[in-house]
Amino acid sequence: MKVLKGQDILALGFMTFALFVGAGNIIFPPIVGLQSGPHVWMAALGFLVTAVGLPVVTVIALAKVGGGMDELSSPIGKIAGGLLAAAAYLAVGPLFATPRTATVSFEVGVAPLTGESPLALFIYSLVYFLVVLAVSMYPGKLLDTVGRFLAPLKIIALAVLGIAAFALPAGTIGDAQPAYVAAPFSQGFIQGYLTMDTLGALVFGIVIVNAIRSRGVESPRLITRYAVIAGLIAGVGLTLVYISLFRLGAGSHDIAATATNGAVVLHAYVQHTFGSLGSGFLAVLIALACLVTAVGLTCACAEYFSRLLPLSYRALVVILAAFSLLVSNLGLTKLIMFSVPVLTAIYPPCIVLVGLSFCKGMWHSQTRIMAPVMAVSLVFGVIDAIKGAGLQWLPSWAEHLPLSEQGLAWLVPCVATLVVAVVCDRLLGKPREVMA
């Protein structure tokens, strides 16, 4: 039986970590640290739940079913599962996350040197997606290109930044914004959504499993074990990166008090700590971090849609890279503005899907439990999304739902639906098998 060597397992863990650490992972923690002030570690705890805990649990859940989101969502039916999977792949693929990797790396690392002209963004994003295209064409070599080469470079750069955040703080901790004074944990929890890591984990599951299979491992038990180890290595790495970036943001009040996003905080800190040399370092770090994530997302999306559409994997890589190039030229602010409501709507059903997948042995029929709870989570996720977008489309009662202020209006209805569904499942007993 074929097994992975220790160095291959480590490379797999590095690859998984590198796939996750992209644009959002680097720009959101510093702004949370800055805005939460003295409440930084409570906000960080909420952030780590959605940006580390859920992604690692999702990788484990996918590993148990062979890596594909289709298998995980099978209890809710082929059509509903397919729509959810397509929405997740598109959100973390060409619509939001992949283009965002280019815009973030441009605005943080390149724009301070070239200026924020549309031409500079276009030239940068064109070169960027040509590299993404070249690497994504050979998904079987990801463990070598990413796990053994790009990921270690990325880890070294992040380690330098993380050590500097603690050893060389830029200044004092400022006052917290009102939202963080009122509810620091839930604010951090919601900000963790924006990294898109749980959706990313749903997408990366198949990339991780395919990387293991590319080494000749065929045993489902071993594939699951290696994927779980890779997820845990990635989780430890993510936690260390986030803690250092929270510390960096919290101590940057003196140099970036008016910053509106993490990119500004990061640039101010690096400029203050490392001088002009720091700008070059930051440009390389962000470009590396974002590039690896963009490759992983492009590979995963092409892999998924090649099974649904009459197009080859390579043709889809070209289409996805070209579309991401176009969207990336909208600019970072517009991308974040469009992505927040969509993510707020589709995150709750994805969280419910992953969470309930671990409890399938506890009831007679998965469909009876998962279908109603996920439907309710989607409805209330959409309500949260409409409110987050500032649209006045909702009745007054929707403004006063439990945990509504924290953006978690879906949680209480989902728990209530789960209780009712479990009772019904117990009363109905095991579903009858249809005779052929």
Side-chain angles (χ1 to χ4, degrees), residues 299-346:
C299 288
C301 289
E303 181 85 34
Y304 177 76
F305 287 110
S306 67
R307 288 182 282 150
L308 299 180
L309 303 171
L311 292 167
S312 69
Y313 169 86
R314 290 193 166 190
L316 281 163
V317 166
V318 174
I319 292 167
L320 289 166
F323 189 80
S324 298
L325 167 65
L326 291 174
V327 175
S328 67
N329 280 268
L330 290 172
L332 181 58
T333 305
K334 283 185 181 175
L335 268 178
I336 292 176
M337 185 178 71
F338 288 134
S339 66
V340 170
V342 176
L343 294 175
T344 305
I346 65 175

Side-chain angles (χ1 to χ4, degrees), residues 12-28:
L12 183 72
F14 284 175
M15 184 194 86
T16 305
F17 167 74
L19 289 174
F20 278 120
V21 181
N25 311 76
I26 291 174
I27 64 169
F28 288 116

Side-chain angles (χ1 to χ4, degrees), residues 73-163:
S73 62
S74 59
I76 63 171
K78 213 165 194 175
I79 294 174
L83 288 173
L84 181 65
Y89 273 93
L90 288 172
V92 296
L95 291 182
F96 300 130
T98 309
R100 190 176 74 180
T101 63
T103 52
V104 166
S105 57
F106 172 76
E107 294 207 10
V108 176
V110 180
L113 307 174
T114 65
E116 294 202 26
S117 73
L119 180 61
L121 173 59
F122 176 75
I123 292 170
Y124 173 82
S125 57
L126 178 62
V127 174
Y128 180 93
F129 281 110
L130 283 173
V131 176
V132 170
L133 178 69
V135 179
S136 301
M137 283 291 184
Y138 304 97
K141 295 184 178 178
L142 278 188
L143 201 54
D144 294 315
T145 54
V146 175
R148 294 179 186 278
F149 177 63
L150 292 175
L153 287 176
K154 187 171 173 176
I155 289 166
I156 291 166
L158 285 167
V160 170
L161 191 62
I163 292 166

Side-chain angles (χ1 to χ4, degrees), residues 240-262:
L240 293 174
V241 168
Y242 289 147
I243 287 172
S244 63
L245 290 175
F246 280 122
R247 179 70 186 86
L248 183 153
S252 295
H253 183 262
D254 294 352
I255 58 170
T258 58
T260 55
N261 64 59

Side-chain angles (χ1 to χ4, degrees), residues 84-418:
L84 181 65
Y89 273 93
L90 288 172
V92 296
L95 291 182
F96 300 130
T98 309
R100 190 176 74 180
T101 63
T103 52
V104 166
S105 57
F106 172 76
E107 294 207 10
V108 176
V110 180
L113 307 174
T114 65
E116 294 202 26
S117 73
L119 180 61
L121 173 59
F122 176 75
I123 292 170
Y124 173 82
S125 57
L126 178 62
V127 174
Y128 180 93
F129 281 110
L130 283 173
V131 176
V132 170
L133 178 69
V135 179
S136 301
M137 283 291 184
Y138 304 97
K141 295 184 178 178
L142 278 188
L143 201 54
D144 294 315
T145 54
V146 175
R148 294 179 186 278
F149 177 63
L150 292 175
L153 287 176
K154 187 171 173 176
I155 289 166
I156 291 166
L158 285 167
V160 170
L161 191 62
I163 292 166
F166 281 94
L168 304 166
T172 57
I173 294 175
D175 296 328
Q177 288 194 353
Y180 285 99
V181 174
F185 179 86
S186 58
Q187 276 298 115
F189 189 92
I190 294 298
Q191 289 297 314
Y193 277 2
L194 301 182
T195 64
M196 301 194 194
D197 278 350
T198 299
L199 296 181
L202 286 168
V203 169
F204 290 144
I206 196 69
V207 176
I208 297 163
V209 168
N210 284 346
I212 297 168
R213 286 182 178 142
S214 74
R215 286 291 190 266
V217 178
E218 294 298 335
S219 164
R221 184 176 57 83
L222 284 178
I223 289 171
T224 302
R225 183 195 298 173
Y226 294 142
V228 168
I229 293 170
L232 293 174
I233 291 171
V236 171
L238 284 168
T239 302
L240 293 174
V241 168
Y242 289 147
I243 287 172
S244 63
L245 290 175
F246 280 122
R247 179 70 186 86
L248 183 153
S252 295
H253 183 262
D254 294 352
I255 58 170
T258 58
T260 55
N261 64 59
V264 176
V265 179
L266 262 178
H267 188 260
Y269 175 82
V270 170
Q271 191 70 35
H272 172 270
T273 307
F274 299 108
S276 55
L277 235 167
S279 295
F281 167 75
L282 189 62
V284 173
L285 165 60
I286 299 293
L288 261 179
C290 294
L291 192 68
V292 174
T293 302
V295 167
L297 292 171
T298 303
C299 288
C301 289
E303 181 85 34
Y304 177 76
F305 287 110
S306 67
R307 288 182 282 150
L308 299 180
L309 303 171
L311 292 167
S312 69
Y313 169 86
R314 290 193 166 190
L316 281 163
V317 166
V318 174
I319 292 167
L320 289 166
F323 189 80
S324 298
L325 167 65
L326 291 174
V327 175
S328 67
N329 280 268
L330 290 172
L332 181 58
T333 305
K334 283 185 181 175
L335 268 178
I336 292 176
M337 185 178 71
F338 288 134
S339 66
V340 170
V342 176
L343 294 175
T344 305
I346 65 175
Y347 240 92
C350 289
I351 292 172
V352 169
L353 173 67
V354 171
L356 294 182
S357 72
F358 286 93
C359 311
K360 61 183 180 183
M362 297 172 62
W363 33 70
H364 297 301
S365 167
Q366 277 184 277
T367 303
R368 287 178 193 156
I369 306 296
M370 292 179 93
V373 180
M374 286 182 68
V376 168
S377 70
L378 178 61
V379 169
F380 284 90
V382 169
I383 289 173
D384 275 341
I386 292 170
K387 278 166 41 187
L391 301 173
Q392 306 298 315
W393 296 353
L394 298 171
S396 57
W397 60 262
E399 302 290 332
H400 306 289
L401 293 165
L403 302 179
S404 181
E405 290 300 312
Q406 288 79 27
L408 298 170
W410 58 274
L411 193 56
V412 173
C414 283
V415 172
T417 306
L418 177 61

